[in-house]
Structure formats: C-alpha cells, structure tokens
C-alpha cells in the first residue's frame, strides 16, 4: 500500500514541476550570459577576457522520479585591474552580491544571485595575480537533449586568423578549435596545439616579434594584449600552446 502511495506522490511531484524545473538549460542561457556580461562590465576596461563554453557539468535529481542536469559557463578575466576589491559594489544591486570566504582555501570570493535560480561566483585564480574566474551555475534543470547543437558554434577562417598568426611565431600547429560567445556580442575563439619541443616563454617570442596593439600583462607562462579591440591571451605550458582571441561586448 505504502509503495503505491509513494509512487503516486512521485508522479504528482513530477507532473507539477516548480518554475525552475520548467526552465531547460537552453531557457536559462540568456540569463547566464547576461550575468557574465555584467562581470565583464564591472571588471573595467583594462582587462582581457576569455569566454568558456556553456556546458553540462553534472546530473541531479529534480524529484524522486525525475532526473535533471546542471549546466555552467565560465569567463576568465585577465589584467592588472582584474581584482576582487570593489567588484562586489560594481555589480548590479539586484544581484545582492557579497564577499565570502573562498571554497578553494584562503582568500575571498564574490557570490551573487542574478536571478532566483542562478548562482554567480567570482574568485581570484590561485597563485595567479591579475586573473579572475567568473562562473554562473544553473542549478538542477530538466534535460531536453545533449548536446545542444546551437551551443556548438564553429569558428570561421577570419576568426581563426589572429590565433593562426601567433601559432606561426612559435612554429606550432593548432590542433583543435573552439568558438564560444555571450549574448552581449563577446566571442572567443580558442586554438590549442603542440610544438615539436618545449616552448619558450610567450613574452620572449612576442617581444621579439612586436605585436600591434597594447600589452596588458605578462609573465613567464602567459602574454595578454589588446589588438584593435580584440583581446588575446597566449599561454605556453611545456610543448602545449593555447591562444584565445576575444571580441568584447558591444
């Protein structure tokens, strides 16, 4: 008897989802992107960003009888002004942003709620000054198919041009390409590849071949600069080279 009652209750719960449970990852995407665009605006003009993919990061239970999925999108922000100090106050007031202890250990992070069902966190990258990581999590959502083809855009040849030029300076070949975007117009093309031997410091190579635009920041492993409004991040790790080229929000 109790088994019948429990099944009936599960059916009722599954047939009467909450508002959040009616919103698929596709429906949540504009709000996710708007929250990340707000972070880019709050970070200031002297920064370069790299937009990550909107992707599934886990599974979950919507109800006792209904499975769901969790999606997330990340944006990396680089530059001397990419600091948590003051960021909380520059986000929209309705986000109710506040500073909390970081879940990765020491330090603080900014936590905000752009909408009742989204969570925004902004934290400083560990042992990497001038690098912020902003993440928006959707929480548990109903699945309507995976992957969503609309989220898997392909970079055009002109969009690949800046990264290809950088790879040529390192005598390396890009092996994979990824194109990601935000609704504000920001878009990132990421190229990843390897060289036949360990790579030199990006600064050493790029300083020897001066690039157009303006240097934002650099260290032994990364070189960040602006080229006619587009932000480039060049990262070398052993024989692996990664280049992101990002157009800003319009």
């Amino acid at each position: 008897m109790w088994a019948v009652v429990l099944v009936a209750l599960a059916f009722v719960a599954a047939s009467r989802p909450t508002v959040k449970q009616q919103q698929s990852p596709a429906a949540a995407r504009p709000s996710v992107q708007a929250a990340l665009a707000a972070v880019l605006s709050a970070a200031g003009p002297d920064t370069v960003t790299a937009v990550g993919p909107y992707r599934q990061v886990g599974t979950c239970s919507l109800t006792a009888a209904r499975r769901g999925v969790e999606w997330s999108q990340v944006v990396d922000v680089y530059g001397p002004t990419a600091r948590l100090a003051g960021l909380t106050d520059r986000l929209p007031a309705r986000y109710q942003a506040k500073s909390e202890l970081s879940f990765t250990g020491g330090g603080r992070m900014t936590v905000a709620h752009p909408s009742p069902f989204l969570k925004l966190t902004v934290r400083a990258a560990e042992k990497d000054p001038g690098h912020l990581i902003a993440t928006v999590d959707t929480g548990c959502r109903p699945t309507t198919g995976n992957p969503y083809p609309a989220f898997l855009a392909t970079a055009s040849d002109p969009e690949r041009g800046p990264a290809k030029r950088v790879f040529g300076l390192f005598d390396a070949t890009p092996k994979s390409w990824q194109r990601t975007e935000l609704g504000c117009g920001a878009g990132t093309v990421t190229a990843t590849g390897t060289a036949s031997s360990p790579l030199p410091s990006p600064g050493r190579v790029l300083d020897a071949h001066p690039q157009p635009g303006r240097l934002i920041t650099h260290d032994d492993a990364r070189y960040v600069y602006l080229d006619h409004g587009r932000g480039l991040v060049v990262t070398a790790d052993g024989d692996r080279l990664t280049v992101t080229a990002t157009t800003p929000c319009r």
Side-chain angles (χ1 to χ4, degrees):
M1 179 63 181
W2 278 111
V4 174
V5 172
L6 290 173
V7 170
L9 289 174
F11 176 81
V12 170
S15 63
R16 293 185 179 179
T18 65
V19 173
K20 175 182 174 182
Q21 292 167 350
Q22 293 172 339
Q23 295 179 347
S24 69
R29 190 184 185 208
S31 297
V32 169
Q33 295 190 334
L36 291 171
V39 173
L40 302 191
S41 177
D46 291 326
T47 56
V48 169
T49 62
V51 179
Y54 186 48
R55 63 190 181 93
Q56 182 180 325
V57 294
T59 58
C60 50
S61 296
L62 286 167
T63 67
R66 190 179 180 198
R67 298 292 293 168
V69 291
E70 297 177 351
W71 282 60
S72 177
Q73 189 166 15
V74 176
V75 166
D76 292 272
V77 184
Y78 303 94
T81 63
R83 297 189 296 267
L84 284 176
L87 180 71
T88 299
D89 296 331
R90 292 192 296 271
L91 289 171
R94 63 182 179 83
Y95 283 18
Q96 298 181 335
K98 59 183 179 179
S99 178
E100 296 183 359
L101 284 174
S102 175
F103 48 74
T104 59
R108 312 286 296 182
M109 65 179 180
T110 294
V111 179
H113 298 278
S115 76
F117 307 126
L118 297 182
K119 181 180 181 181
L120 164 67
T121 58
V122 186
R123 61 184 177 85
E126 190 174 358
K127 297 179 181 179
D128 192 3
H131 178 194
L132 295 180
I133 303 171
T135 306
V136 177
D137 295 298
T138 66
C140 199
R141 305 275 174 163
T143 179
T144 55
N146 181 39
Y148 290 87
F151 301 164
L152 305 177
T154 301
S156 66
D157 285 340
E159 290 174 322
R160 297 183 183 199
K164 282 184 175 180
R165 287 193 291 273
V166 174
F167 266 82
L169 298 177
F170 285 83
D171 195 22
T173 303
K175 299 294 186 183
S176 65
W177 294 89
Q178 177 178 267
R179 184 182 184 278
T180 50
E181 60 185 27
L182 295 181
C184 64
T188 295
V189 173
T190 302
T192 304
T194 56
S196 58
S197 59
L199 293 164
S201 161
R204 192 171 119 200
V205 173
L206 294 173
D207 286 343
H209 302 83
Q211 300 301 297
R214 180 164 61 91
L215 176 66
I216 297 297
T217 183
H218 72 93
D219 56 30
D220 289 342
R222 184 187 299 127
Y223 197 93
V224 181
Y225 65 101
L226 285 168
D227 177 7
H228 298 94
R230 181 186 283 109
L232 280 89
V233 181
V234 182
T235 306
D237 183 9
D239 64 350
R240 182 183 178 88
L241 183 67
T242 301
V243 179
T244 67
T246 303
T247 53
C249 289
R250 291 191 292 268

